Amino acid sequence: MSVSPRPGPPPPRPGPPPQSWSGDGADDGGHPAVDAAVQAMANAANLAPADQIAQYEAAYQTLRETLATIDQA
């Protein structure tokens, strides 16, 4: 009996290029930590899925900590 190999992941779908995030807060009333987290998520779009998870988790943690400090103020 022969076993056929499992298929690999589908090829990436074409889509719009990642948008650049200025991060300067000039036109969006941003917060430096939030701007950095959003930029990290935008940059993660170019990484392999396994690497994206770590980036998203780090951004999530940054956002949670930032919101916690805002709530305490």
Side-chain angles (χ1 to χ4, degrees):
M1 172 167 67
S2 70
V3 176
S4 60
R6 296 179 68 184
R13 296 185 321 200
Q19 294 183 358
S20 174
W21 181 261
S22 68
D24 61 9
D27 61 346
D28 56 13
H31 184 282
V34 173
D35 293 343
V38 171
Q39 182 62 52
M41 289 188 294
N43 293 341
N46 298 322
L47 300 174
D51 297 329
Q52 288 178 357
I53 293 169
Q55 289 292 319
Y56 293 144
E57 288 176 345
Y60 174 72
Q61 184 63 32
T62 297
L63 294 172
R64 281 181 52 104
E65 291 171 359
T66 302
L67 287 173
T69 61
I70 292 171
D71 287 344
Q72 293 172 359

